Amino acid sequence: MNYLQIEFETMKEGESDILVALLTEAGFESFEEKEISLLAYIKEADFIEAVLEDILKVVPVKYTRTVTPQQNWNAQWESSFEPIIVNDFVRRTPWVAIRAGFHQAIQQVKYEIIITPKMSFGTGHHPTSYMMIEQMGTLDFKNKTVLDFGTGTAVLAILAEKMGALAVDAIDNDDWSIENAGENIATNNCFKIELHKSDSIASGKIYDIILANINLNVIQSNLHAINAVGKKGSKLLISGFLKSDEEVLLKALHEHGIIHHKTCQRGEWISLLAELN
């Protein structure tokens, strides 16, 4: 399976975040920010040029397109993936370290997670992943049941188990993500995470904490399902959307009886903490 690499030229401040959000909605799976450009990747079979042209009407930038064989991806990640440390949300001290297996161990953090990202989202580098991890530090995961909807690399599921979760269901609809998540779960010696390949949330279980770092459309279309697998007091932590989407999302939460507690912002991106009622 080949991937297309689309390289976009340098944009004005804030345009890169908007472009990434629009490309994510269009099926692009991974992104890499360079000093003077943005690289975006999508399966060649999923690429629709007319959709890209519509996006470029919103963010008008020049681009080049090349075909990238799947097997080249790991080498590319290994050459660019640097460790990241997420600070404690309250004390602002080092709390979670995320690194690849070829990096040296990182000392003086509470949790260390080893990730081989491959084509999946979730290394902590993107603002949405960073904020999700940061806000997880404000929640009590001990003996809690957790749903990680759109797990990607499974970094959030892994952190949930390390923070004491009783059981974690991790869902993704992409074969590559499921394979990658399984490898990362094993690498981190996690045994309480169950992986499920699905594009929807199955009913029948009730969760204390629901995590979803996906995109606005997916979250909006799944709020009814989220309500169905939660209970009064269940926490909902979501990200994957821009500050400009907040009003729309808050309205949708209100319509589903979900109580908004907090919005965090990093660049143009936001993360919301809410509670089911």
Side-chain angles (χ1 to χ4, degrees), residues 25 28 47 55 68 74 79 88 90 102 104 106 139 144 152 155-156 169 186 189 207 212 227 235 244 246 249 255 270:
E25 297 283 355
F28 282 76
F47 177 72
I55 290 172
T68 303
N74 286 350
S79 67
D88 179 276
V90 177
F102 52 83
Q104 293 292 320
I106 298 173
L139 302 178
K144 299 295 195 302
V155 64
L156 302 183
D169 283 329
N189 299 310
Y207 300 97
N227 257 332
K235 298 297 189 292
S244 57
E246 184 178 17
L249 190 52
E255 289 172 351
I270 59 172

Side-chain angles (χ1 to χ4, degrees), residues 21 25 39 55-56 65 67 79 123 132 138 152 163 170 188 210 243 270:
E25 297 283 355
L39 303 181
I55 290 172
L56 293 177
R65 183 174 69 192
V67 177
S79 67
T123 63
M132 290 288 289
T138 68
M163 292 178 70
N188 287 274
I210 301 164
K243 177 65 177 176
I270 59 172

